[in-house]
Amino acid sequence: MPDLMIAVAVVFALVTGANDGGALMAPGLRIPGMPVAAGLGLLVAAVVAVPLLVTTAVAQTLAGSIVPADPAPLAIGFVVAIVVAGGLARRGLPTSLTLAVIGGVAGAGVGAGLAVEWPAVLRVLAIGLAAPVAGLLLALAGAAAWRAARSARYLATVRRTHVTAYLAQCVAYGANDGQKAFVLFIAASVAAGGEAAPQWWAYPVVGGLFAIGAVIGLPRVARTVGTGIISTRAPQAVTAEFASAAAVLGSAAAGAPVSMTQALTGGLLGAGVHDSYRRVRWRVVANLGLAWAVTLPAAFALAGAAALVVHALTS
């Protein structure tokens, strides 16, 4: 079972890069001053360094608070999350992998006849649903601040601030949403009789696969997040980056996993609405909302059915 979990973890790290990496980089692509390679390097460094040097609290939450420490439901839940997120990503809709994982693990727990910690699931969902709303509200406040600070050197200031905003976003992702890539490595270590922490080699593996996935997913996802929601200008991108970073860092302090892509989408929406609600491409927003709404129940149902089959075959 540890070998199977590691195999699933490897694929999941690649999918995480394709789904999340491209979405996080996309809004800043039109801002001069930061090459794509530099942006990717900062993001990958945060994905590896924050869990390694600071905390893996969010990964621990996903590994043990939804179902008892049983490797089978975790593996099934993550496989289903890959299937659901991959299907939506092919349509250019970056969904919440966090919602997919929570739904998949909870569904697999029910299918395997295990006691699911529903209060923990509901707590994580409540915080996760609040993330895009928090991103939107923070972006509205940030956009108002940018407008008040407009000056002759306004655009130059925005471009310099983008580096800080993007770095904050990367750190927030590494402290929260990015840690789901380490969950199965933690579970595999425990299943093999080791500590509840990733082995040292898991960090460079996750970093490398995440980078490859981000490069693969960036073109398709950028069309949805980078320019699909609004025709993103530099001030709006910086506002959304700061807003999403603040929203996700707040939930990371509580050890609750949330989706950075949802928070960033809320930030872009808030920045666009502040200028004019007519500038928002509401059809794209509706499609993203539909993807989020479908993700958890679809993952729950598929994982529950898969766990029932596995249980029947192994009992």
Side-chain angles (χ1 to χ4, degrees), residues 29-178:
L29 291 178
R30 292 188 173 186
I31 304 177
M34 182 183 291
V36 174
L40 179 60
L42 286 174
L43 180 56
V44 172
V47 168
V48 174
V50 175
L52 177 63
L53 302 177
V54 183
T55 179
T56 56
V58 172
Q60 298 289 349
T61 297
L62 285 172
S65 66
I66 297 177
V67 296
D70 188 321
L74 278 175
I76 292 172
F78 273 78
V79 169
V80 168
I82 291 170
V83 172
V84 172
L88 291 171
R90 288 180 62 85
R91 298 177 175 270
L93 295 174
T95 188
S96 167
L97 271 173
T98 301
L99 288 178
V101 167
I102 293 171
V105 174
V110 171
L114 299 175
V116 177
E117 295 292 336
W118 294 112
V121 173
L122 293 176
R123 172 176 172 269
V124 169
L125 287 179
I127 295 175
L129 291 174
V133 177
L136 187 151
L137 296 176
L138 289 168
L140 286 172
W146 277 120
R147 178 167 293 182
R150 187 180 294 274
S151 65
R153 296 183 58 80
Y154 173 68
L155 289 179
T157 301
V158 170
R159 290 169 183 172
R160 289 195 299 269
T161 308
H162 166 57
V163 177
T164 303
Y166 181 74
L167 182 59
Q169 182 180 254
C170 291
V171 171
Y173 182 75
N176 195 314
D177 201 17

Side-chain angles (χ1 to χ4, degrees), residues 68-298:
D70 188 321
L74 278 175
I76 292 172
F78 273 78
V79 169
V80 168
I82 291 170
V83 172
V84 172
L88 291 171
R90 288 180 62 85
R91 298 177 175 270
L93 295 174
T95 188
S96 167
L97 271 173
T98 301
L99 288 178
V101 167
I102 293 171
V105 174
V110 171
L114 299 175
V116 177
E117 295 292 336
W118 294 112
V121 173
L122 293 176
R123 172 176 172 269
V124 169
L125 287 179
I127 295 175
L129 291 174
V133 177
L136 187 151
L137 296 176
L138 289 168
L140 286 172
W146 277 120
R147 178 167 293 182
R150 187 180 294 274
S151 65
R153 296 183 58 80
Y154 173 68
L155 289 179
T157 301
V158 170
R159 290 169 183 172
R160 289 195 299 269
T161 308
H162 166 57
V163 177
T164 303
Y166 181 74
L167 182 59
Q169 182 180 254
C170 291
V171 171
Y173 182 75
N176 195 314
D177 201 17
Q179 294 193 10
K180 61 185 177 289
F182 292 97
V183 172
L184 287 181
F185 288 105
I186 293 174
S189 176
V190 172
E195 298 180 355
Q199 298 293 321
W200 67 267
W201 49 264
Y203 295 97
V205 167
V206 168
L209 291 169
F210 184 93
I212 294 171
V215 171
I216 294 172
L218 180 58
R220 179 180 288 113
V221 175
R223 289 195 293 269
T224 301
V225 177
T227 58
I229 299 171
I230 57 175
S231 182
T232 310
R233 300 195 301 267
Q236 296 163 335
V238 173
T239 298
E241 287 169 346
F242 268 129
S244 61
V248 173
L249 280 173
S251 60
V258 299
S259 171
M260 176 65 85
T261 57
Q262 287 184 298
L264 181 59
T265 299
L268 289 170
L269 182 59
V273 168
H274 183 269
D275 284 355
S276 172
Y277 75 91
R278 291 187 177 90
R279 295 192 67 250
V280 178
R281 297 186 177 100
W282 293 106
R283 182 180 60 82
V284 176
V285 174
N287 288 338
L288 285 171
L290 178 62
W292 297 343
V294 167
T295 295
L296 190 143

Side-chain angles (χ1 to χ4, degrees), residues 8-21 81-86 89 97 173 180 209-210 213-214:
V8 175
V10 165
V11 177
F12 186 80
L14 186 67
V15 173
T16 300
N19 187 82
D20 295 356
I82 291 170
V83 172
V84 172
L97 271 173
Y173 182 75
K180 61 185 177 289
L209 291 169
F210 184 93

